[in-house]
Amino acid sequence: MRVNKKYSCLPAEEKGIHIINIRAIEDIGYDQHESTLLNSLSKNPDADCKYGLYFRDGKRKVDYILVYHYKKSSAGKTLARRAQQNDASVRSTKQDQPLPGKGMQLEMGESEPHMDYHEDDKRFRREEYEGNLVEAGLELERDEDTKIHGIGFVKIHAPWNVLCREAEFLKLKMPTKKMYQINQTHGLLKKINSVIQKITEPIQPKVAEHKPQTVKRLSYPFSREKQHLFDLSDKDSFFDSKTRSTIVYEILKRTTCTKAKYSMGITSLLANGVYSAAYPLHDGDYEGENVEPNDRKLLCEEWASYGVFYKYQPIDLVRKYFGEKIGLYFAWLGVYTQMLIPASIVGIIVFLYGCATVDENIPSMEMCDQRNNITMCPLCDKTCSYWKMSSACATARASHLFDNPATVFFSVFMALWAATFMEHWKRKQMRLNYRWDLTGFEEEEDHPRAEYEAKVLEKSLRKEHKHKETDKEKLTWKDRFPAYLTNFVGIIFMIGLTFAIVFGVIIYRISTAAALAISSTPSGRSSVRVTVTATAVIINLVVIIILDEVYGCIARWLTQIEVPKTDKNFEERLIFKAFLLKFVNAYTPIFYVAFFKGRFVGRPGDYVYIFHSFRMEECAPGGCLMELCIQLSIIMLGKQLIQNNLFEIGIPKMKKFIRYLKLKRRRSLDHEEHMKKKQRYEVDYNLEPFAGLTPEYMEMIIQFGFVTLFVASFPLAPLFALLNNIIEIRLDAKKFVTELRRPVAVRAKDIGIWYNILRGIGKLAVIINAFVISFTSDFIPRLVYLYMYSENGTMHGFVNHTLSSFNVSDFQAGTAPNDPLDLGYEVQICRYKDYREPPWSENKYDISKDFWAVLAARLAFVIVFQNLVMFMSEFVDWVIPDIPKDISQQIHKEKVLMVEVFMREEQGKLQMLETWKDKGKKKGENCNNHSPRLSRSRSGSLSSCHSYPLDV
């Protein structure tokens, strides 16, 4: 039986004290014999407290856990052995000793050898802090006799009066006794809803919270003066475990210890190693035999299982267990995944349209027709020879799958889809706010962070040293200027590093293409472009994954040196920096292929060179859109498969295994200790700490960018995102339920800065898709040719129209092919893709009028497309109201009902006062009508009669 407690609860009659400070009882053998006796009589003391979910008395629930490291001195063990040998003398003197407290600690401290100064300092800080927690009304119980040696646990319980006080301070909305009927649909809508409910019944989770409600309790901010409004029939369950842990965490943040002029809350104590961890407990086990039903087990079965991937999420139960902030994340992820279904269907239709019409595409048929006998200019200097356009037939046919008129429609559709998704989420968010009683909730300013307090203290100490007056200090922009400068330089350097790596990959592509072109085998020369593209994309993917992790750490460090005041400020600044760096890292290679590759090549006889030796890359004969599609698909799928799934599964399991090995190394090999079942707080301590939602949101936001920004080049992106998210939801759920310590529930009414980032990406997607369609694809040149240059109104002759001619005699010295007769005949005129004057023209090789006509059409398309789609998006935004009509009606109804409740209460008070007055008047009349026998005491009786209502 564990008896090593610093705090134990005593009956009220013993000195009127509830919590007493006792230290290291077993070290002096204080009640060794009694503990052994109790241990033999009781069935299982651990079972009485439900293995750590309750205090030792089995009545008080553990609401929070503080964990600390301690070093046990050898002197304490010697004292314990001596005490066991002299058990009789200890028992005889124990009755005469006062209740152990600080006096005993001092005596023991004198007998023990001097411990490390830092350990002593930490122990003193813990004692002061825990004493302050006791003064704040919390009840504590210490446990150092655990399976994890060297680790101590402090169990915290918030009694009813503390819960009521803090609930009032935090303005927590709690359900009242008043219940009202939720407005139901009527007529046709009711029939449609009933049909939908029957159809979707198999995919609904089997959770009570998920069932449609017809009745709702009226909620009101908790008030001790108005406790009669609330249903307090079961006080143990009135505040659930999530709310209890939130209240205790607020007290932990607010309570300070002031050793060495340093006001330290729990965040500071954790940062300084006074405590090693602080967390609320999970509700119990989620697997195994004879496990009591609990919310964690229910979540594991109905949410965190891959077998229920087709079901809706039990969002209300997630919110009940983890809090509003995490509930909103999973609700947003569910809405996003749900909205990907129509986008995926349309994307598949567009792709199938491209597959169906590939044989009817005239430009690709002309490129594949060997009768055209179009001879193309060499792709590199000297080693490359002339080649036939028909050899690029496969690339041209594949390009049509993604470069067809349907992709333009799909780009417009996805822009409207993004606007609809944002509006749908706002409406869903309002429904959740109503259901979760968050209407009217406003976030208050958080407590200052530990690092901010330390910096302010350092500043005030400097001023004290200079004999200046020290009012309440705060950090100004001057104090943060070096950090701001470091941030600016660091971010610029990181972006420059990303550009440099992309440039390095470009050099690799050019040099590898030149090296493979020297290959003597025809098969080697024919597969140059595929080999170079595939290997370069894989290199890009590996670099992106590595830099993602590096940039995440750098963004956190840059945010830490800024020393933001509150956790909210810290999170917002971290999100901005991490998103900026990861956005640039993920999309720079794709931007290069989409908008820069093949734009600055030059022409035969006047090519642009890098380092005077490498020619700039050219697009394939079918255009760069096919390569953009390959780049986008590999990076998107690679990131989702490796970074989002393998890392999320593998890294937590590896950390858990390493932690298990460390604990096993420290753990003694005592058989009895090994067979003991672990307490709940010991099991939770071995879980991974919760690191926040930023990584979860970040990977989804980057994915949202892949789905919307370049969707014109890859219509299947929504489908792959949908498949990933179906796995991602259950993967994240499993991680939260089984792999992580339970996070502190945080109230929130929206997803914060992420909503603004999503809106920004949606706006940027319209612009980027407009440029991809007009400049990367051949959509605009085809339209220009069809309506301006085609003789018969068809696309026949389009390929010849886009090619310019070059006289091979105009090659620069040393750049002509080494083997000009590689095709079997002498070539005098070769073709290249550009709009330039022919060699027989007066202004040979100058840009032709056709180029300017196509450029004007491209720019006009960008302007029209962007404004049209933006207008349509704003129209969708305007048409769909942010707050659903039924929700606004319910909110108004709640306000009216609340006013009615208070009016009835006031009327009841007035009626009661009037009743008392009437009783007083009647008694006064009775006193006036007294018999003559009582006339002598009339004045006394009258005075007593009239005093009655005054007393009332």
Side-chain angles (χ1 to χ4, degrees):
M1 178 178 180
R2 296 184 177 92
V3 292
N4 182 19
K5 306 179 210 174
K6 182 173 179 182
Y7 302 97
S8 61
C9 188
L10 296 175
E13 59 266 24
E14 292 189 18
K15 298 190 177 182
I17 299 171
H18 287 288
I19 294 184
I20 303 297
N21 193 356
I22 302 175
R23 182 172 171 269
I25 294 175
E26 88 277 18
D27 287 350
I28 61 170
Y30 183 67
D31 59 352
Q32 185 75 24
H33 181 75
E34 289 185 5
S35 68
T36 308
L37 183 64
L38 287 170
N39 211 5
S40 62
L41 292 174
S42 62
K43 292 181 295 184
N44 186 350
D46 288 341
D48 293 339
C49 65
K50 293 190 178 179
Y51 295 98
L53 287 173
Y54 287 82
F55 275 24
R56 280 290 163 196
D57 56 15
K59 297 176 182 177
R60 292 171 294 168
K61 188 176 175 63
V62 176
D63 298 319
Y64 218 86
I65 291 290
L66 299 179
V67 187
Y68 60 91
H69 292 271
Y70 70 93
K71 292 182 180 177
K72 197 179 283 187
S73 64
S74 59
K77 296 175 184 176
T78 306
L79 282 169
R81 284 196 297 271
R82 286 177 185 171
Q84 286 176 6
Q85 291 170 3
N86 303 314
D87 188 46
S89 60
V90 170
R91 282 203 307 272
S92 63
T93 57
K94 190 164 65 175
Q95 295 173 356
D96 303 327
Q97 288 177 346
L99 210 57
K102 291 186 178 178
M104 181 175 288
Q105 289 180 15
L106 290 172
E107 290 173 13
M108 287 185 59
E110 290 171 2
S111 64
E112 289 181 1
H114 182 68
M115 294 176 70
D116 182 40
Y117 168 75
H118 294 293
E119 290 297 322
D120 283 342
D121 182 60
K122 288 179 183 178
R123 179 164 53 84
F124 291 144
R125 289 186 191 277
R126 284 198 295 270
E127 288 175 359
E128 184 199 357
Y129 182 70
E130 289 163 14
N132 292 340
L133 291 179
V134 172
E135 289 178 6
L138 297 178
E139 297 176 5
L140 313 182
E141 186 177 78
R142 185 183 294 278
D143 186 2
E144 289 183 355
D145 183 19
T146 63
K147 290 187 78 173
I148 309 173
H149 289 288
I151 301 291
F153 296 90
V154 178
K155 297 175 273 188
I156 302 176
H157 168 76
W160 173 256
N161 60 329
V162 174
L163 292 171
C164 292
R165 182 190 72 206
E166 296 298 323
E168 186 172 348
F169 290 165
L170 294 172
K171 300 175 183 175
L172 295 179
K173 274 191 170 184
M174 303 302 292
T176 63
K177 296 176 185 176
K178 175 70 175 176
M179 301 182 75
Y180 69 94
Q181 199 79 16
I182 297 174
N183 293 339
Q184 300 294 322
T185 54
H186 300 285
L188 182 62
L189 283 176
K190 186 177 182 180
K191 291 180 180 178
I192 293 172
N193 287 339
S194 63
V195 170
I196 292 173
Q197 284 178 10
K198 287 179 181 177
I199 293 171
T200 58
E201 189 175 355
I203 60 174
Q204 299 292 345
K206 296 175 182 177
V207 175
E209 285 81 357
H210 199 78
K211 292 177 181 176
Q213 296 178 342
T214 56
V215 177
K216 187 177 184 294
R217 285 188 179 273
L218 196 61
S219 295
Y220 185 72
F222 188 82
S223 172
R224 286 173 289 181
E225 293 180 356
K226 293 183 169 55
Q227 286 194 32
H228 58 276
L229 292 176
F230 304 94
D231 184 11
L232 303 179
S233 56
D234 186 5
K235 289 185 178 181
D236 292 336
S237 62
F238 182 73
F239 295 106
D240 58 13
S241 59
K242 165 189 68 86
T243 308
R244 296 175 72 99
S245 62
T246 303
I247 287 173
V248 173
Y249 182 63
E250 286 297 323
I251 298 173
L252 292 176
K253 286 198 295 184
R254 191 176 66 228
T255 306
T256 58
C257 71
T258 54
K259 294 276 186 187
K261 294 186 178 180
Y262 193 173
S263 177
M264 300 174 72
I266 186 61
T267 51
S268 306
L269 294 170
L270 287 168
N272 287 276
V274 179
Y275 290 103
S276 58
Y279 51 88
L281 292 179
H282 279 292
D283 278 359
D285 291 324
Y286 60 89
E287 60 183 359
E289 297 179 2
N290 303 323
V291 175
E292 291 186 9
N294 59 72
D295 286 342
R296 189 187 187 196
K297 187 174 185 294
L298 189 59
L299 281 171
C300 188
E301 292 170 354
E302 292 295 328
W303 182 51
S305 172
Y306 294 110
V308 294
F309 72 92
Y310 59 92
K311 289 188 177 183
Y312 285 103
Q313 298 181 86
I315 291 298
D316 291 319
L317 185 60
V318 174
R319 172 254 179 180
K320 179 186 173 185
Y321 193 78
F322 291 110
E324 286 79 8
K325 192 169 186 179
I326 293 174
L328 280 172
Y329 163 70
F330 281 104
W332 173 82
L333 184 56
V335 170
Y336 171 48
T337 305
Q338 196 176 346
M339 288 292 291
L340 281 171
I341 295 173
S344 303
I345 293 170
V346 176
I348 293 170
I349 292 170
V350 169
F351 178 73
L352 293 177
Y353 171 81
C355 295
T357 58
V358 68
D359 292 329
E360 300 171 6
N361 183 38
I362 295 173
S364 60
M365 288 168 62
E366 287 185 347
M367 288 182 67
C368 295
D369 191 356
Q370 296 184 1
R371 293 173 298 177
N372 288 335
N373 198 25
I374 299 176
T375 304
M376 303 297 292
C377 295
L379 295 173
C380 62
D381 294 343
K382 291 198 246 183
T383 54
C384 298
S385 185
Y386 306 105
W387 55 284
K388 292 284 187 181
M389 176 169 269
S390 57
S391 63
C393 175
T395 307
R397 288 172 65 84
S399 296
H400 178 73
L401 301 178
F402 306 99
D403 186 6
N404 56 66
T407 55
V408 180
F409 157 77
F410 191 55
S411 299
V412 176
F413 171 82
M414 286 304 293
L416 297 178
W417 173 88
T420 308
F421 162 60
M422 299 305 293
E423 290 305 307
H424 180 45
W425 167 243
K426 279 198 286 188
R427 290 169 64 84
K428 177 71 172 177
Q429 194 170 254
M430 282 306 302
R431 289 188 182 278
L432 293 176
N433 285 343
Y434 165 71
R435 267 188 4 223
W436 297 348
D437 298 321
L438 290 171
T439 51
F441 167 71
E442 294 296 333
E443 292 185 17
E444 297 179 359
E445 188 175 356
D446 204 357
H447 298 278
R449 295 174 64 249
E451 292 81 357
Y452 181 85
E453 289 181 336
K455 206 76 175 176
V456 169
L457 175 68
E458 185 184 335
K459 183 180 178 181
S460 60
L461 290 175
R462 280 201 309 267
K463 286 203 170 185
E464 275 185 11
H465 185 68
K466 294 179 181 179
H467 305 289
K468 292 185 178 180
E469 292 184 5
T470 56
D471 296 331
K472 190 167 183 180
E473 293 292 339
K474 63 179 183 179
L475 298 184
T476 62
W477 70 270
K478 291 181 181 178
D479 300 318
R480 290 193 174 105
F481 181 74
Y484 290 152
L485 185 63
T486 307
N487 268 261
F488 178 75
V489 174
I491 289 172
I492 295 296
F493 175 76
M494 291 300 117
I495 292 174
L497 176 65
T498 305
F499 289 162
I501 290 172
V502 172
F503 184 72
V505 174
I506 294 170
I507 299 295
Y508 161 80
R509 291 160 67 115
I510 296 170
S511 57
T512 306
L516 290 174
I518 302 173
S519 172
S520 57
T521 59
S523 60
R525 285 198 296 268
S526 63
S527 61
V528 167
R529 194 177 294 277
V530 176
T531 305
V532 170
T533 300
T535 54
V537 172
I538 292 169
I539 292 170
N540 273 327
L541 175 62
V542 172
V543 168
I544 285 170
I545 290 173
I546 293 171
L547 286 184
D548 253 7
E549 302 302 319
V550 173
Y551 285 169
C553 298
I554 289 173
R556 181 168 289 276
W557 176 74
L558 290 174
T559 310
Q560 285 172 345
I561 64 173
E562 278 188 58
V563 197
K565 185 175 180 180
T566 63
D567 286 330
K568 185 179 179 183
N569 291 341
F570 180 87
E571 188 180 25
E572 287 181 351
R573 295 184 185 194
L574 173 63
I575 288 168
F576 175 74
K577 294 181 186 66
F579 174 73
L580 180 63
L581 292 174
K582 291 188 177 187
F583 182 89
V584 172
N585 179 42
Y587 294 113
T588 301
I590 300 171
F591 269 94
Y592 163 72
V593 174
F595 302 121
F596 297 100
K597 185 178 179 182
R599 309 288 171 197
F600 311 102
V601 177
R603 60 170 180 81
D606 188 20
Y607 283 115
V608 177
Y609 291 90
I610 302 175
F611 304 132
H612 303 288
S613 55
F614 296 112
R615 252 171 61 180
M616 287 293 290
E617 285 187 289
E618 293 182 53
C619 288
C624 277
L625 198 70
M626 186 61 202
E627 190 172 340
L628 176 62
C629 174
I630 295 170
Q631 184 108 358
L632 187 66
S633 58
I634 292 179
I635 290 177
M636 179 182 176
L637 294 175
K639 268 181 68 69
Q640 290 185 165
L641 182 65
I642 298 171
Q643 194 173 22
N644 297 358
N645 294 333
L646 291 183
F647 280 16
E648 282 195 24
I649 296 171
I651 290 178
K653 287 196 178 295
M654 188 172 66
K655 286 182 178 178
K656 190 177 179 181
F657 181 69
I658 293 170
R659 201 181 301 111
Y660 168 76
L661 291 178
K662 286 181 179 178
L663 292 172
K664 193 176 180 182
R665 197 176 301 155
R666 281 193 298 184
R667 193 180 297 152
S668 66
L669 297 174
D670 185 32
H671 181 70
E672 184 184 349
E673 185 76 12
H674 182 71
M675 292 302 291
K676 251 190 321 189
K677 183 176 178 180
K678 277 188 177 182
Q679 302 289 309
R680 177 78 262 152
Y681 42 85
E682 294 177 77
V683 176
D684 286 3
Y685 178 71
N686 293 331
L687 298 176
E688 188 74 14
F690 175 62
L693 288 170
T694 301
E696 314 297 336
Y697 272 114
M698 188 65 72
E699 64 184 69
M700 287 296 106
I701 298 296
I702 296 295
Q703 185 206 81
F704 182 77
F706 281 122
V707 168
T708 55
L709 291 179
F710 295 93
V711 76
S713 63
F714 190 40
L716 296 178
L719 175 64
F720 290 118
L722 174 65
L723 297 175
N724 174 79
N725 287 5
I726 290 171
I727 301 170
E728 181 74 21
I729 289 174
R730 306 303 163 181
L731 183 65
D732 282 349
K734 200 170 188 64
K735 183 172 69 174
F736 271 83
V737 173
T738 64
E739 300 286 342
L740 298 180
R741 292 177 193 158
R742 188 174 183 177
V744 180
V746 179
R747 286 190 298 168
K749 62 187 300 184
D750 52 40
I751 60 174
I753 193 174
W754 296 110
Y755 181 80
N756 297 328
I757 292 175
L758 284 168
R759 282 191 70 87
I761 291 176
K763 303 288 184 188
L764 184 63
V766 176
I767 300 169
I768 289 177
N769 280 305
F771 277 95
V772 167
I773 293 168
S774 60
F775 284 90
T776 310
S777 75
D778 281 338
F779 178 71
I780 299 301
R782 286 173 188 161
L783 284 182
V784 171
Y785 176 78
L786 187 64
Y787 293 107
M788 289 182 63
Y789 300 103
S790 177
E791 295 178 359
N792 52 7
T794 64
M795 292 301 295
H796 288 288
F798 169 73
V799 173
N800 188 55
H801 177 75
T802 59
L803 299 176
S804 298
S805 301
F806 177 74
N807 193 330
V808 297
S809 61
D810 293 332
F811 272 122
Q812 289 180 348
T815 62
N818 294 334
D819 186 10
L821 299 176
D822 185 52
L823 293 177
Y825 56 89
E826 185 179 357
V827 177
Q828 294 183 346
I829 300 292
C830 66
R831 310 294 296 274
Y832 62 99
K833 192 170 183 179
D834 204 349
Y835 291 101
R836 291 182 179 271
E837 297 290 344
W840 49 85
S841 172
E842 293 180 2
N843 305 314
K844 65 177 183 177
Y845 307 132
D846 283 353
I847 293 172
S848 65
K849 294 178 181 179
D850 298 343
F851 172 83
W852 298 112
V854 171
L855 180 63
R858 281 173 164 165
L859 293 174
F861 176 82
V862 168
I863 295 169
V864 172
F865 181 88
Q866 178 185 332
N867 285 284
L868 178 64
V869 174
M870 287 282 191
F871 170 76
M872 293 169 72
S873 301
E874 292 297 326
F875 180 74
V876 169
D877 194 357
W878 175 74
V879 166
I880 303 174
D882 294 347
I883 305 176
K885 188 176 179 181
D886 60 324
I887 296 298
S888 60
Q889 289 174 351
Q890 298 291 354
I891 293 170
H892 178 70
K893 186 176 180 178
E894 276 197 353
K895 290 179 181 177
V896 172
L897 287 172
M898 206 71 241
V899 171
E900 286 180 6
V901 168
F902 285 120
M903 289 299 291
R904 284 176 189 167
E905 190 178 354
E906 291 297 322
Q907 288 172 3
K909 288 179 181 178
L910 289 172
Q911 287 175 3
M912 191 181 294
L913 287 172
E914 288 174 2
T915 304
W916 284 114
K917 285 179 183 179
D918 292 342
K919 284 183 179 179
K921 286 178 181 177
K922 287 178 181 178
K923 192 157 187 178
E925 289 173 3
N926 291 336
C927 290
N928 290 332
N929 297 328
H930 270 291
S931 61
R933 288 181 299 175
L934 300 176
S935 60
R936 285 177 292 179
S937 61
R938 183 177 176 186
S939 59
S941 64
L942 276 171
S943 63
S944 64
C945 287
H946 287 297
S947 68
Y948 183 77
L950 291 174
D951 291 340
V952 172

